Amino acid sequence: MWGNVGPGVAHLSLLERVRLRRVAVRYAGHGWAVTPGACLANSRFVCGRAGCPTVGCHPALENWEQAATADPARVVTWWRSRPHGVLLPTGRSFDVLEVSAHLGRHVLDAVATHPAGFGVRGPVLVTPTGRWMFLVRPADPLRPELEHCFHVVRHGPGSWIPAPPTRLPEGVVRWAVAPEQARWQLPDSYLVQNALIDALRAAGVTLASDLLPGQLPLPRRGW
């Protein structure tokens, strides 16, 4: 199925290709399920599936949720011949709280000195487009203050994130706080959410809980 896209997927060095495989295996070895991402070819991604309309970063497998695995042997086979991006399904080993760069830096500074210690410090990755992603323990929904806040996106079951060292058209995904720095531990979701709420209020963002009854904003018009 790769016959029509093979020539375009040749922009990573052998070292980069080996690194992608080794890192994917390392994630799997720590119990994090991984799934192969489409390969970057020039400024778009190709997965080899006939007629796939998606040009952005996306899973290479149509049944990626079912295929995702933490079996290192299976992971090796995926990365043996193709420079796949490394995607981590969310809602399994962890959820992810995604925020903007400004908010992410503020929260990272706050959790670095948080009295809860490693209870609130965990892995944080940064995309080259400036999105910060905080990995947290799974299954906790967003607090009511954040549920309708467009500044925060929660990735849970059915979603995934690109993991370092996946390359995007704008650059390489990197760790701001590597899993090793966090001892592969995940922080309590609500402790991180509390830090997000404090950072949003400090930035002057009005949250739902800050609005008095009868002062809820009117719905936006559909234009």
Side-chain angles (χ1 to χ4, degrees):
M1 68 179 177
W2 284 91
N4 64 328
V5 297
V9 186
H11 303 286
L12 299 184
S13 69
L14 176 61
L15 181 62
E16 287 178 296
R17 292 163 68 103
V18 170
R19 186 180 177 217
L20 282 167
R21 184 177 71 241
R22 287 179 176 173
V23 172
V25 169
R26 187 171 83 243
Y27 294 149
H30 282 274
W32 290 3
V34 301
T35 194
C39 299
L40 181 62
N42 298 317
S43 60
R44 59 170 290 170
F45 288 86
V46 291
C47 63
R49 301 201 303 269
C52 179
T54 307
V55 298
C57 185
H58 64 286
L61 305 176
E62 191 170 6
N63 65 332
W64 65 270
E65 281 193 86
Q66 293 73 33
T69 182
D71 177 10
R74 177 63 174 156
V75 171
V76 167
T77 63
W78 282 330
W79 272 269
R80 182 170 291 153
S81 60
R82 292 281 167 185
H84 291 291
V86 182
L87 307 186
L88 302 178
T90 55
R92 300 187 182 193
S93 298
F94 52 80
D95 285 351
V96 167
L97 302 174
E98 177 185 344
V99 299
S100 66
H102 174 75
L103 186 58
R105 292 190 189 96
H106 191 107
V107 172
L108 190 61
D109 289 342
V111 301
T113 57
H114 197 283
F118 278 96
V120 74
R121 302 171 206 168
V124 183
L125 67 81
V126 181
T127 73
T129 56
R131 303 300 294 177
W132 285 52
M133 301 189 183
F134 291 76
L135 278 64
V136 298
R137 294 173 194 162
D140 289 325
L142 289 176
R143 282 184 44 168
E145 295 94 328
L146 301 176
E147 189 174 0
H148 301 292
C149 178
F150 66 86
H151 295 279
V152 179
V153 177
R154 172 181 172 256
H155 295 271
S159 188
W160 52 267
I161 58 170
T166 297
R167 182 179 292 276
L168 304 180
E170 301 83 2
V172 178
V173 181
R174 64 179 179 84
W175 289 111
V177 179
E180 293 84 356
Q181 291 175 275
R183 306 175 188 173
W184 293 89
Q185 300 298 308
L186 297 167
D188 181 273
S189 177
Y190 287 130
L191 288 176
V192 177
Q193 290 187 47
N194 290 344
L196 285 170
I197 290 170
D198 290 342
L200 286 165
R201 285 178 172 150
V205 176
T206 300
L207 302 175
S209 62
D210 299 327
L211 297 169
L212 297 175
Q215 291 185 325
L216 292 175
L218 295 174
R220 293 179 182 271
R221 293 181 178 270
W223 56 43

